[in-house]
Structure formats: structure tokens, C-alpha cells
Amino acid sequence: MSSFIIYPAIDIRDGKCVRLVQGDYNQETVYNDDPVQVALSWEKQGGTYVHLVDLDGAKAGHPVNDELIGRIASAVNVPVQVGGGLRTVADVERLLGLGVSRLIIGTAAIEDRAFTEEVLGRYGDKVAIGIDARNGYVATRGWLETSEVQAEVLAKELAAFGAETFIFTDISRDGMMQGPNVEAIVSLAKASGRTVIASGGVSVMDDLLRLSKHAEDGVGGAIVGKALYTGSIDLSEAVRAVNK
């Protein structure tokens, strides 16, 4: 039986826990002023992993919230994965040194292939590739730009260089509470032959159950954000449900 992990999300901007709609920095909701306490709450509710996004870093092109990320990683007893603005080997080494278990390379996977291949070769499963797609094409720079690279093509290429985990977001679904694009997620997993973590659009328990049914196809988990903050999904119940 393949495992399916729920990744409660903490998106950090200006030191606070926020959510954006479709990556739009002008459509922000602040949910909590203390991301460390939010992370501890997710762990207490049964979360076995915490997903952090440095939104300031994604926009700036380099990590911004290192100090806060380090405090979160130290506070919880579960692994933490982090994305947002990672562009250099020094960035990767610094965050791993803060206790982060896995780093997510997004924009650089398109714009700096040499860097991406180097960190995959050096750090292996400590690196996940974040593929954020708009109409099937990879978006970069905090979703502000769209490339001409197809998501499945990128995944196949990077799998050949050692990528073991992909985090796939259909931008059109993110923050909209419309449900994930299950077909696209499963297709990417099958095309790459690697584990894919679903992100964007998970709004009710049924979304998680539908995704978890594809664990054998390579769908290894789902990142859940807004639905946890609004209460439409209870983390402890969800963890129990997908592990039955």
C-alpha cells in the first residue's frame, strides 16, 4: 500500500501566515500573525509534514524569511519542506543547515538548468521540483510569468537527472476551493514515473480521498492550505481518513 501524506501549508509573507488567490499578491488574506504556532498546531493535529512557502522569497528571487523558517523547523518534530526563491547552492545549503528536510526548486528548474541538475545530483531526495502550471505550461517567478515549457516535458527531463519528487500546482485551482485537477496530477505522475504531490484546489475531504486513491499511480500526497484555515477540512480527521 503506497502512503499518502497530507502537507498542511504555511505561506509566509511579512512574517505572517497568509493565503493568496491564484498567486496574486494583491489578493491576500492574513490568517495568523505567528507561523510558528500554526506549525505546532498542525503537528498537534496529526500532521506528519509541514509545507512552507516563502512568498517574499518567491517574489524577490532569493529566500527572505530564513530566520522564521529556522524557528519553525526547530519548533516542530516533523519534517519541513520549503519553497520560494531558491536560486543558488548557497541558498540550498543554508536552509538545509537550518533543519529543513526538503527544499523545493521552482523557477530555477526552468531558468537555471545547470543549478537544478547540480542540486539534484548533490542532494537527491532532499530536493523536490515544484511545477506550477497555467494551462499546462510552467509558470515562474511566483506565478508572475508563464514559460513556453510544458509541465510533463519538464518533469520527464528532470526525472532523468535524479528528481524523485514533484509538487504540481494547477494555478487556476489554487485558492479557489474548486477541487484539484486530478487528471493532470495523475498524468504527470505517470509521465515522469516519479512521486507527485498535489497542490492547489483541495477544498473538501472528498478531494483528498479522490487523490489518495491514486497513491499506486504515484500521487504521494496533497498540500492543503485554505481549506484548513477556513475549517472546511479538519486535519486530524483527514489524516485518519486517507490512512484507513
Side-chain angles (χ1 to χ4, degrees), residues 136-243:
Y137 289 86
V138 179
T140 60
R141 298 190 175 273
W143 301 350
L144 300 176
E145 300 176 13
T146 304
S147 72
E148 295 181 355
V149 179
Q150 290 183 318
E152 290 190 8
V153 172
L154 178 65
K156 289 177 184 177
E157 291 176 357
L158 293 180
F161 283 100
E164 294 292 335
T165 305
F166 294 97
I167 297 174
F168 178 75
T169 305
D170 181 340
I171 294 172
S172 69
R173 306 293 182 101
D174 187 72
M176 301 303 290
M177 306 289 279
Q178 294 177 347
N181 188 338
V182 177
E183 183 178 320
I185 294 159
V186 173
S187 182
L188 188 77
K190 290 181 175 179
S192 65
R194 300 293 187 269
T195 299
V196 174
I197 299 169
S199 175
V202 173
S203 57
V204 293
M205 187 80 78
D206 185 59
D207 294 332
L208 292 171
L209 295 175
R210 284 192 298 132
L211 287 165
S212 66
K213 289 177 181 177
H214 293 282
E216 298 290 348
D217 295 320
V219 180
I223 294 165
V224 188
K226 186 175 181 179
L228 294 177
Y229 294 98
T230 61
S232 67
I233 292 178
D234 178 276
L235 181 58
S236 56
E237 289 181 11
V239 170
R240 287 195 296 270
V242 300
N243 287 296

Side-chain angles (χ1 to χ4, degrees), residues 48-159:
T48 57
Y49 225 110
V50 175
H51 173 81
L52 303 178
V53 180
D54 183 348
L55 288 174
D56 299 299
K59 196 169 187 180
H62 58 84
V64 171
N65 290 290
D66 291 19
E67 189 270 336
L68 179 53
I69 289 166
R71 283 198 285 126
I72 293 170
S74 297
V76 298
N77 294 304
V78 296
V80 171
Q81 65 183 19
V82 177
L86 291 160
R87 305 281 198 277
T88 70
V89 173
D91 290 339
V92 172
E93 291 178 341
R94 189 174 66 255
L95 285 170
L96 289 174
L98 291 174
V100 173
S101 296
R102 185 159 61 200
L103 297 170
I104 304 160
I105 306 298
T107 294
I110 288 287
E111 297 186 354
D112 191 344
R113 187 60 63 87
F115 158 72
T116 304
E117 292 173 6
E118 179 180 356
V119 294
L120 283 173
R122 188 179 295 190
Y123 299 107
D125 61 4
K126 292 182 183 295
V127 176
I129 303 298
I131 298 183
D132 303 333
R134 183 180 282 116
N135 299 321
Y137 289 86
V138 179
T140 60
R141 298 190 175 273
W143 301 350
L144 300 176
E145 300 176 13
T146 304
S147 72
E148 295 181 355
V149 179
Q150 290 183 318
E152 290 190 8
V153 172
L154 178 65
K156 289 177 184 177
E157 291 176 357
L158 293 180

Side-chain angles (χ1 to χ4, degrees), residues 35-54:
V36 176
Q37 289 303 314
V38 176
L40 288 167
S41 173
W42 294 151
E43 181 183 15
K44 186 176 181 180
Q45 292 176 51
T48 57
Y49 225 110
V50 175
H51 173 81
L52 303 178
V53 180
D54 183 348

